[in-house]
């Protein structure tokens, strides 16, 4: 079945890729995995990319070896991006260095894929954590959003001071990601910058996100009422613990 689907993948329009991946996804027996691993060596870049995506959920030494080998050889940027994304789901520590190298690279599509993959590796690794801490101040707004999303999942309160400035960013997407990250970090230090932003924020979606984040940390239903939040914080901020 895998071989038939991959053969179809060579000639089928790219609009069918999602359906092909859906079909390949549940096939996890030894023969299916071997067919996908063989597909990583195909002469067709699109087929190599499909195989990498299909192998993303298979965490094993054999799959990690094949993906690492492909990452070192791949010249097609979209295919390399798929390989790097798949490496992010492996539990192999060797993937970290490969992903960090590409995340610092110049090729845009593989770089962003590597950054997303590193976010799934997690910030418990010191080098990954340091990389994302630097990315939080990136001038590239899309990189910042990815970094903010990664930090949100880490629950690392020591990064609050690096996240907070992004609530003032000119880009809506960055402000939203920053608000959600502060809400997810769930630390007392996250509250003042959110309240302060209410004074200047005019975008309803961001105001709503701030209200949601504040409610999640305080249990107070004060919506986006700046004055109410300022009064509540003045009365309760000292010694408050989320």
């Amino acid at each position: 079945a895998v071989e038939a689907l991959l053969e179809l993948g060579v000639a089928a329009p790219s609009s069918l890729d999602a359906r092909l991946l859906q079909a390949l996804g549940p096939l996890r027996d030894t023969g299916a995995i071997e067919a996908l691993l063989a597909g990583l060596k195909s002469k067709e870049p699109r087929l190599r990319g499909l195989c990498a995506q299909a192998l993303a959920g298979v965490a094993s030494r054999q799959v990690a070896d094949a993906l690492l080998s492909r990452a070192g050889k791949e010249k097609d940027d979209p295919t390399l991006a798929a390989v790097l994304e798949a490496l992010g789901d492996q539990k192999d520590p060797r993937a970290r260095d490969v992903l960090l190298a590409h995340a610092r690279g110049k090729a845009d599509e593989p770089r962003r894929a590597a950054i997303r993959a590193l976010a799934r590796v997690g910030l418990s690794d010191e080098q990954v954590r340091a990389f994302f801490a630097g990315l939080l101040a990136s001038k590239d707004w899309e990189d910042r959003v990815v970094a903010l999303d990664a930090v949100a999942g880490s629950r690392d309160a020591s990064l609050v001071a690096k996240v907070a400035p992004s609530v003032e960013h000119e880009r809506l997407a960055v402000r939203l990601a920053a608000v959600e990250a502060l809400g997810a970090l769930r630390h007392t230090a996250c509250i003042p910058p959110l309240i302060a932003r209410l004074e200047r924020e005019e975008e309803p979606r961001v105001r709503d996100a701030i209200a949601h984040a504040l409610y999640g940390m305080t249990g107070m239903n004060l919506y986006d009422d700046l004055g109410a939040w300022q009064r509540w914080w003045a009365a309760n901020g000292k010694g408050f613990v989320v």
Side-chain angles (χ1 to χ4, degrees), residues 33 58-65 90-92:
I33 291 173
V58 183
S60 76
R61 178 81 181 193
Q62 182 187 23
V63 171
D65 286 345
Q90 298 297 310
K91 304 302 179 185
D92 195 306

Side-chain angles (χ1 to χ4, degrees), residues 164-170 175 182 191-204 206-207 210 224-227 230:
S166 288
V167 301
E168 305 293 338
H169 200 277
E170 61 182 13
R175 298 201 305 279
L182 289 173
I191 297 173
L194 290 174
I195 294 175
R197 183 60 202 173
L198 276 177
E199 189 170 2
R200 296 176 293 281
E201 185 59 59
E202 296 180 357
E203 171 57 49
V206 180
R207 293 185 69 85
I210 291 173
D224 63 347
D225 187 327
L226 172 63
Q230 288 175 329

Side-chain angles (χ1 to χ4, degrees), residues 110-125:
R111 183 175 65 85
R112 294 200 190 284
I115 291 170
R116 289 191 297 269
L118 278 172
R120 297 198 299 281
V121 169
L123 276 70
S124 57
D125 182 279

Side-chain angles (χ1 to χ4, degrees), residues 38-50:
L40 280 178
K41 301 175 183 178
S42 168
K43 293 181 180 180
E44 296 287 340
R46 182 179 168 207
L47 197 61
R48 297 196 300 271
L50 276 171

